[in-house]
Amino acid sequence: MQRRTLLRCGLAVLPATLSPRPGRAATRPGAAQAARTRLILLGTGGGPRPRVATSASAQVVIANGTPYVIDCGDGVARQLVSAGVPLTTLRHIFVTHQHSDHTADYGNLIWLSWAAGLRTRVDTWGPPPLEEMTRLFFQMNRTDIETRIADEGRVPIVPLVHPHEVKAGGVLLEDENVKVTAAIVSHPPLTPALAYRFDAKDRSIVISGDTARSDSLVALARGADVLVHEALYTPAVDRIVAKVPNASTLKQHLLDSHTTAEDCGRVAAAAGVKTLVLSHLVPPDDPQVTDEMWIDAARRHFKGTIVLGKDLMEVHGQESPV
Ligand SMILES: [Zn+2]
Ligand SMILES: [Zn+2]
């Protein structure tokens, strides 16, 4: 059925990584009903190093046609375009924490959306110093901004953008589409690091951000339809650190600040979610770690649907027959 739908839409040739797979509960963007709240993974690789295989961390929840972008890793604007999300509809951006694989294109996303024709308000949410980052970004790029306002009739960008620094958990906003709740998670040495929950009328979606195994994330994700959880494949850690100088510090960071795929399964089971999505994969591009290895590791403790995240994958979850 899924395949027939895609063929009718003219998407007869799909890259292998986007092909629907039995039991994975995911398809290419565009296959879902428009009215349904959508979740699209924009970038699923962990870490700031630009890669061929995967983009840096970013995802978008689209409720009633309004995009809520979570994290702004390298290439997020282009990934949104690739997913068919008009940049002119950008409305909310949520940053989980101040690591560059989540923030590198924060300013660029707003600036390029504005260059693409955005004329409406954007609210941004995340840990300090989000306000200073926003202000300094526009100051740094004032030559282009002032030129485009003068030459192209663009509206001023600064008044459109409203940053909100988030320092504690709780409900951040409730609009006509979703309620958004934050929780503080554990990602030393950065603090605060945030997870976000989106409760729409038809489904609930939780994004872990970067975190060690976290009880506050379990509480935030309680009963959710979908949990997107960062994942570390433990046996590959030694191969990762062998590639970098200062390896001992990196290894300790990875082990203290992230969650193994096996523990992702434990968290998903403890929270009682329906679908677990493994994303922010570390390693992001190790050919020795197969899809089955990731899934099998998470499967040890979780009986629900498990999805291995791929760039530009739309996640439906088991609550959404396609
Ligand atoms: Zn990260
Ligand atoms: Zn991080």
Side-chain angles (χ1 to χ4, degrees):
M1 179 60 199
Q2 197 170 71
R3 172 70 67 180
R4 283 200 301 274
T5 304
L6 290 167
L7 289 171
R8 273 203 306 276
C9 294
L11 297 169
V13 180
L14 290 174
T17 54
L18 295 179
S19 298
R21 299 174 188 198
R24 298 289 168 85
T27 66
R28 185 181 173 85
Q33 296 173 9
R36 193 155 188 282
T37 299
R38 303 173 66 194
L39 166 62
I40 302 171
L41 310 177
L42 300 171
T44 56
R49 174 174 52 87
R51 297 168 295 268
V52 173
T54 53
S55 286
S57 197
Q59 40 269 305
V60 61
V61 171
I62 306 171
N64 274 340
T66 300
Y68 301 73
V69 176
I70 306 97
D71 278 335
C72 297
D74 169 34
V76 62
R78 193 163 192 274
Q79 290 298 89
L80 280 166
V81 171
S82 298
V85 180
L87 294 179
T88 51
T89 64
L90 182 69
R91 179 64 188 87
H92 288 279
I93 299 172
F94 298 85
V95 173
T96 59
H97 66 291
Q98 295 285 0
H99 263 150
S100 56
D101 52 326
H102 303 254
T103 60
D105 274 1
Y106 163 72
N108 286 337
L109 174 58
I110 303 168
W111 186 28
L112 299 175
S113 296
W114 174 78
L118 175 79
R119 304 173 65 89
T120 47
R121 176 176 176 131
V122 176
D123 286 85
T124 70
W125 311 78
L130 193 73
E131 291 174 8
E132 184 182 30
M133 285 170 66
T134 308
R135 180 173 52 79
L136 292 178
F137 182 88
F138 291 139
Q139 184 181 329
M140 178 178 76
N141 293 295
R142 65 186 179 279
T143 302
D144 172 89
I145 290 169
E146 290 168 1
T147 301
R148 290 190 192 281
I149 291 171
D151 279 2
E152 302 174 9
R154 307 276 173 189
V155 299
I157 188 172
V158 171
L160 297 181
V161 183
H162 299 261
H164 308 267
E165 294 191 344
V166 181
K167 301 168 187 167
V171 175
L172 298 182
L173 74 91
E174 192 160 9
D175 62 17
E176 63 276 20
N177 305 315
V178 291
K179 179 173 79 171
V180 184
T181 310
I184 305 280
V185 291
S186 176
H187 187 50
L190 284 178
T191 183
L194 301 163
Y196 294 105
R197 175 173 178 139
F198 298 79
D199 286 292
K201 290 183 181 66
D202 57 334
R203 67 196 303 211
S204 47
I205 296 164
V206 177
I207 311 293
S208 73
D210 284 9
T211 182
R213 185 174 159 185
S214 165
D215 289 339
S216 61
L217 179 62
V218 171
L220 182 74
R222 183 86 57 205
D225 292 310
V226 181
L227 168 62
V228 179
H229 203 308
E230 69 121 286
L232 178 73
Y233 192 72
T234 318
V237 168
D238 286 331
R239 289 200 296 275
I240 296 170
V241 299
K243 293 179 185 170
V244 297
N246 231 354
S248 60
T249 309
L250 176 60
K251 182 171 183 177
Q252 203 56 44
H253 165 75
L254 289 172
L255 295 175
D256 290 348
S257 306
H258 295 279
T259 303
T260 65
E262 194 170 335
D263 276 350
C264 292
R266 287 191 173 97
V267 169
V273 304
K274 293 175 183 165
T275 296
L276 167 64
V277 180
L278 302 178
S279 191
H280 191 280
L281 303 174
V282 176
D285 52 4
D286 184 341
Q288 295 182 62
V289 185
T290 65
D291 292 7
E292 288 67 30
M293 288 176 183
W294 284 106
I295 300 280
D296 289 348
R299 173 64 65 206
R300 284 179 202 128
H301 303 284
F302 180 61
K303 304 296 179 233
T305 302
I306 300 175
V307 174
L308 180 64
K310 306 278 187 185
D311 286 13
L312 299 180
M313 171 187 275
E314 177 160 0
V315 178
H316 295 291
Q318 67 181 25
E319 81 286 6
S320 168
V322 291

